């Protein structure tokens, strides 16, 4: 059993987009803040009640809201953020589809939206329109009205199947 | 947004969890963290320590023999994919996908939000809760475990370790959740189990969440239909009875009057939907 006192810091390891990071955190520190402190500023904070999904990342294969996870809890996990989707300077098909379909305006929800789409398509490669809406229901967008996001996920689904 | 300072405990076994909780009365168990961390971020709770049970393999299993045995840290997503009659459908309607990836059945029932989805189903399924604590292990009917809103039958040092669900594969079922938007808590949620023999109803169970301090079953409504044939008139009577037994409060999700009417509507929908399957 390991006990960390409230005024102590604890060393944690995270594998983010394939690279290893080590940092010291207080137990109360949220994962979203640690990711941003480490330079992954695509991970956004849009609320303080776990509704908006702007902080969504993939942790150990699951999409999660990094604002509702303590960094110490994530110790040892593998995390994928939108920065990790580009391969050799080439956009991921989901990123391409968001561009093609004009699925972003201010871009603040976009990293979380893309990571949730990434998880959705990993679970369900051919989602129906209703399944896309339900699959993205934990991600709020103030700009697009969602229509073009849904079109982008449909297009990404087609592109990924072609791969 | 910023949780208060807290200690953090990473135990190697369940017995260490129990021991630590017994010695620290204001320590809290951290499971999926999707009720506890939001409350800490609003500083509604200030635990001295969080005891992280997420890495304990002994609490993470899902078995089926005569009944389903679900370890406390099984997530809503895992329950939703497990093809458990009624319960999997209920799990698929909790929160949003990210929440379901983290939230656990043990955490949900230890929290006991009065608008939570599971309780309506756990009541009609006659679910049992296994609890381990300093004085050993005990098993409690979920209906008794759910003492009041946010008030589970847990004493200091006790941990929910398992939820067991009898097999009801011979039943038709439905869970109807009324919500303002996808991802929200229920305004009202109605779970039904119906066993028919020809046109006749052999067994009927109905559980309701969101419109009382805790989820309830209507025994009056259940008895109205047993041994009889279903028709529109009796469905209407059952729905009225279920609504009459509700005791909703007015809040941002609607007035008490609206919620009582909605309870009647959702009861009808749940029965009709179950019969169609």
């Amino acid at each position: 059993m390991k006990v960390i006192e409230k005024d102590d810091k604890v060393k944690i390891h995270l594998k983010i987009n394939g690279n290893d990071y080590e940092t010291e955190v207080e137990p109360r520190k949220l994962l979203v803040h640690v990711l941003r402190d480490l330079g992954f500023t695509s991970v956004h904070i849009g609320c303080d009640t776990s509704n908006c999904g702007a902080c969504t990342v993939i942790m150990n294969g699951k999409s999660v809201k990094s604002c509702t996870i303590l960094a110490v809890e994530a110790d040892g996990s593998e995390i994928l953020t939108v920065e990790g989707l580009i391969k050799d300077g080439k956009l991921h098909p989901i990123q391409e589809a968001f561009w093609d379909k004009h699925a972003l305006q201010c871009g603040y929800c976009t990293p979380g939206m893309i990571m949730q789409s990434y998880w959705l398509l990993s679970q369900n490669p051919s989602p129906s329109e209703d399944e896309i809406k339900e699959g993205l229901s934990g991600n709020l967008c103030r700009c697009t009205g969602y229509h073009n996001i849904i079109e982008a996920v449909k297009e990404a689904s087609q592109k990924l199947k072609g791969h | 947004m910023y949780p208060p300072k807290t200690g953090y405990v990473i135990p190697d076994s369940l017995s260490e969890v129990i021991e630590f909780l017994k010695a620290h009365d204001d320590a809290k168990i951290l499971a999926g963290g999707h009720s506890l961390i939001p409350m800490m971020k609003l500083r509604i709770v200030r635990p001295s320590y969080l005891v992280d049970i997420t890495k304990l393999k002994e609490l993470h299993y899902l078995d089926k023999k005569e009944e389903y045995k679900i370890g406390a840290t099984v997530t809503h997503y895992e329950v939703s994919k497990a093809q458990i009659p009624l319960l999997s459908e209920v799990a698929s309607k909790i929160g949003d996908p990210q929440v379901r990836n983290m939230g656990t059945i043990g955490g949900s029932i230890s929290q006991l939000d009065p608008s939570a989805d599971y309780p309506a189903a756990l009541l009609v399924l006659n679910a049992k809760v296994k609890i381990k604590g300093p004085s050993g292990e005990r098993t409690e009917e979920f209906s008794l475990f759910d003492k009041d809103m946010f008030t589970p039958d847990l004493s200091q040092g006790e941990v929910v370790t398992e939820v067991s669900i009898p097999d009801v594969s011979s039943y038709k079922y439905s869970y109807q959740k009324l919500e303002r938007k996808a991802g929200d808590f229920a305004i009202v949620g109605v779970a039904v189990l119906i066993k028919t023999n020809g046109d006749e109803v052999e067994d009927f169970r109905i559980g309701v969440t969101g419109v009382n301090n805790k989820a309830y079953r209507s025994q009056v409504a259940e008895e109205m239909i047993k041994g009889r044939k279903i028709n529109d008139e009796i469905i209407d009577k059952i729905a009225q009875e279920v609504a009459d037994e509700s005791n909703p409060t007015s809040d941002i999700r609607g007035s008490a009057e609206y919620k009582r009417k909605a309870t009647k509507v959702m009861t009808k929908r749940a029965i009709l939907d179950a019969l169609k399957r």
Side-chain angles (χ1 to χ4, degrees):
Chain A
M1 183 161 71
K2 187 171 172 185
V3 178
I4 304 146
E5 299 299 333
K6 67 178 163 60
D7 289 317
D8 288 350
K9 285 191 169 184
V10 58
K11 195 178 274 183
I12 61 166
H13 293 81
L14 298 171
K15 190 167 218 168
I16 308 169
N17 303 333
N19 299 314
D20 289 307
Y21 293 83
E22 201 172 85
T23 182
E24 284 205 324
V25 296
E26 279 184 86
R28 66 162 163 172
K29 188 146 181 178
L30 299 169
L31 177 61
V32 66
H33 291 127
V34 170
L35 291 173
R36 291 181 56 80
D37 289 352
L38 290 172
F40 300 94
T41 50
S42 75
V43 186
H44 292 157
I45 299 169
C47 75
D48 66 352
T49 47
S50 312
N51 299 104
C52 80
C55 64
T56 300
V57 299
I58 310 294
M59 183 169 102
N60 297 329
K62 299 187 293 190
S63 65
V64 297
K65 294 181 176 178
S66 59
C67 76
T68 311
I69 292 173
L70 299 172
V72 58
E73 196 187 336
D75 183 24
S77 58
E78 287 191 26
I79 290 169
L80 184 64
T81 72
V82 81
E83 287 95 340
L85 287 189
I86 293 184
K87 287 275 176 302
D88 306 323
K90 197 177 173 320
L91 294 180
H92 186 279
I94 301 174
Q95 293 174 306
E96 265 178 11
F98 269 62
W99 175 273
D100 285 349
K101 294 292 179 184
H102 198 85
L104 64 146
Q105 289 177 41
C106 85
Y108 198 83
C109 77
T110 310
M113 200 63 91
I114 287 179
M115 297 321 289
Q116 182 56 23
S117 303
Y118 178 93
W119 187 76
L120 172 67
L121 293 173
S122 75
Q123 298 298 304
N124 181 357
S126 311
S128 66
E129 185 158 326
D130 281 349
E131 286 168 338
I132 294 172
K133 288 180 187 172
E134 208 286 323
L136 298 178
S137 63
N139 293 72
L140 302 184
C141 173
R142 286 284 177 254
C143 302
T144 64
Y146 302 100
H147 180 84
N148 289 1
I149 293 176
I150 294 160
E151 293 302 310
V153 175
K154 283 186 199 166
E155 183 170 295
S157 153
Q158 292 301 323
K159 284 185 174 188
L160 285 165
K161 273 187 286 182
H163 270 232
Chain B
M1 181 77 199
Y2 298 96
K5 284 191 174 189
T6 178
Y8 199 84
V9 179
I10 305 165
D12 296 316
S13 68
L14 184 59
S15 46
E16 284 184 353
V17 175
I18 293 166
E19 219 169 284
F20 192 89
L21 291 173
K22 195 186 160 198
H24 299 85
D25 62 352
D26 52 356
K28 277 203 161 286
I29 294 177
L30 178 69
H34 275 51
S35 300
L36 182 54
I37 294 176
M39 287 194 299
M40 288 180 70
K41 286 167 69 176
L42 297 169
R43 304 206 174 191
I44 295 168
V45 291
R46 292 170 176 271
S48 58
Y49 290 92
L50 297 176
V51 183
D52 179 352
I53 60 167
T54 53
K55 278 109 193 158
L56 295 179
K57 292 208 169 59
E58 59 191 301
L59 290 177
H60 193 257
Y61 55 88
L62 212 162
D63 301 326
K64 193 204 168 197
K65 288 194 181 95
E66 286 101 68
E67 54 181 9
Y68 293 92
K69 291 184 182 298
I70 309 168
T73 60
V74 171
T75 64
H76 307 324
Y77 182 73
E78 290 164 334
V79 174
S80 78
K81 294 290 171 192
Q83 296 186 311
I84 304 170
L86 183 61
L87 197 70
S88 292
E89 177 171 314
V90 170
S92 74
K93 293 184 178 174
I94 296 171
D96 59 48
Q98 292 99 316
V99 168
R100 293 194 290 273
N101 275 338
M102 289 298 292
T104 67
I105 190 165
S108 177
I109 67 164
S110 301
Q111 171 77 1
L112 283 177
D113 190 294
S115 298
D117 293 294
Y118 281 134
L122 294 176
L123 281 181
V124 297
L125 289 164
N126 294 329
K128 289 193 173 72
V129 182
K130 194 191 273 184
I131 299 145
K132 284 187 184 164
S135 49
E137 184 182 302
R138 64 190 172 94
T139 301
E140 195 76 67
E141 297 281 345
F142 176 76
S143 56
L144 299 173
F145 175 82
D146 182 357
K147 283 164 57 180
D148 202 345
M149 63 160 83
F150 303 113
T151 312
D153 182 15
L154 289 173
S155 334
Q156 192 180 336
E158 286 190 323
V159 185
V160 168
T161 62
E162 181 185 289
V163 176
S164 57
I165 310 284
D167 184 22
V168 289
S169 46
S170 58
Y171 283 73
K172 297 166 188 255
Y173 62 86
S174 177
Y175 180 63
Q176 294 294 314
K177 176 178 183 176
L178 180 66
E179 52 189 352
R180 296 178 302 170
K181 52 185 185 276
D184 202 1
F185 274 93
I187 298 170
V188 55
V190 180
V192 297
L193 281 180
I194 307 176
K195 190 176 191 179
T196 49
N197 184 0
D199 311 345
E200 211 171 79
V201 175
E202 207 173 291
D203 192 10
F204 176 75
R205 303 181 205 163
I206 184 155
V208 188
T209 188
V211 285
N212 210 326
N213 280 5
K214 59 177 194 169
Y216 65 98
R217 264 174 83 163
S218 169
Q219 273 165 5
V220 177
E222 290 181 1
E223 290 307 323
M224 271 179 190
I225 184 69
K226 276 181 198 163
R228 299 181 59 182
K229 287 176 184 160
I230 284 202
N231 56 40
D232 289 350
E233 193 192 342
I234 198 144
I235 291 175
D236 200 67
K237 274 191 185 160
I238 291 170
Q240 188 61 53
E241 173 61 28
V242 170
D244 288 347
E245 289 182 33
S246 70
N247 184 22
T249 50
S250 298
D251 60 19
I252 50 161
R253 293 194 180 89
S255 66
E257 189 191 359
Y258 164 73
K259 288 183 185 180
R260 184 167 286 135
K261 286 187 174 163
T263 303
K264 183 174 178 182
V265 172
M266 298 312 281
T267 299
K268 280 191 191 178
R269 280 189 200 169
I271 296 169
L272 292 172
D273 183 59
L275 289 172
K276 271 193 299 196
R277 299 191 189 189

